[in-house]
Amino acid sequence: HPQPRDFESFTGYLTRLAEANGIRQINRLCVLTGLNFSAAQGGSDLPTRTGFRQLPQLTGCSVDRLNATTVYYLLRKFGRSDRLPASSYQFLRDSMVFHLRYCPRCLDEYGYISLLWRFVALRSCPQHGGDLLDRCGHCGGTVPLLANGLRLGICPTCQGDLRRCSSPISSPETFRASQQAAAEFSFLLTPQAWEDAYEAVLEQLGAQFFRLREQQGLTIAQATTVLTQRKIS
């Protein structure tokens, strides 16, 4: 029962977990874990309505740790609901790629898929300084995030080893920008101690505004008008 690595993507973790247990088909993996087949096959690394089902019990991994393999904590910071996958997709669709991007050297040295590679702003590996590849270096095809065969670092189309692909060296400007982007996304993807307190404060403020509105007999529209006028003045 391998545990997720820091910033490992959920789809990458599922692939590594399946490979460690000799599971080669996505539908078989879904039957064993109770995961939704279409959600797993879509491979978005977005939280789903159905959650992780039996995965925490089967792997001995906490829900919080599994959440960290998705964009769950990023969505929380922007006040987005993790229960609305379609809305989350719309929110992130221009910021993320929905097929595999990878650093061959990281795959070879560390043996897992980083969630950071999903973000468009990260154009090169912040550690090795090479361009992130978005296609198989052997056949030139895009690589799904999760594909039958469930072999980490292996192209499901040509069976080529992605760890043996060549990555061009990034320009110094691209490398520095990617290092900055990696630091920013690392923060966004990591749970922060203040987040729970922040949500509690918002709930308390909402309850207080509700009581004030009820006391003054205002509708929501009327209360909005009053607040807008006060802000303008």
Side-chain angles (χ1 to χ4, degrees):
H1 307 301
Q3 298 296 293
R5 305 284 296 277
D6 289 343
F7 300 112
E8 182 171 12
S9 71
F10 183 62
T11 47
Y13 176 59
L14 285 179
T15 300
R16 194 162 62 89
L17 187 67
E19 190 171 22
N21 288 277
I23 302 169
R24 303 298 296 274
Q25 300 295 319
I26 297 174
N27 61 350
R28 177 62 177 161
L29 177 66
C30 290
V31 167
L32 291 172
T33 59
L35 294 171
N36 180 274
F37 178 81
S38 48
Q41 194 175 39
S44 62
D45 294 325
L46 298 175
T48 65
R49 285 193 182 96
T50 55
F52 299 110
R53 297 295 180 91
Q54 291 100 293
L55 202 58
Q57 291 77 23
L58 291 172
T59 61
C61 183
S62 71
V63 171
D64 287 343
R65 189 69 189 87
L66 289 171
N67 276 331
T69 65
T70 73
V71 293
Y72 173 83
Y73 292 110
L74 181 151
L75 292 173
R76 284 188 68 186
K77 289 179 179 66
F78 287 94
R80 312 295 295 197
S81 173
D82 60 294
R83 298 180 180 86
L84 299 172
S87 174
S88 299
Y89 171 78
Q90 290 296 325
F91 179 64
L92 293 168
R93 67 176 182 173
D94 294 328
S95 302
M96 299 180 73
V97 292
F98 291 88
H99 58 271
L100 182 65
R101 295 170 80 228
Y102 63 99
C103 167
R105 290 181 61 183
C106 283
L107 277 178
D108 189 37
E109 292 177 23
Y110 306 117
Y112 72 97
I113 303 294
S114 174
L115 186 58
L116 296 174
W117 297 341
R118 297 289 312 280
F119 293 95
V120 175
L122 201 74
R123 294 173 56 194
S124 71
C125 173
Q127 179 173 354
H128 296 111
D131 290 350
L132 290 180
L133 303 181
D134 63 357
R135 293 181 176 272
C136 171
H138 305 286
C139 69
T142 56
V143 181
L145 295 169
L146 198 66
N148 280 324
L150 294 171
R151 298 177 65 197
L152 191 75
I154 301 297
C155 173
T157 301
C158 70
Q159 308 305 310
D161 191 337
L162 302 179
R163 292 163 291 199
R164 302 296 169 253
C165 296
S166 177
S167 176
I169 299 299
S170 305
S171 69
E173 295 78 15
T174 299
F175 181 46
R176 286 194 295 271
S178 294
Q179 286 185 312
Q180 179 64 34
E184 292 171 355
F185 283 115
S186 295
F187 168 78
L188 292 172
L189 293 168
T190 303
Q192 305 297 325
W194 51 262
E195 288 176 0
D196 290 334
Y198 173 74
E199 290 185 357
V201 168
L202 289 181
E203 289 180 3
Q204 291 173 6
L205 285 173
Q208 185 173 352
F209 277 120
F210 174 79
R211 287 193 295 270
L212 289 172
R213 182 173 65 81
E214 290 289 301
Q215 289 171 4
Q216 297 182 31
L218 298 175
T219 65
I220 294 177
Q222 290 170 333
T224 302
T225 301
V226 170
L227 289 172
T228 303
Q229 290 173 342
R230 289 181 178 177
K231 182 176 181 182
I232 293 173
S233 60

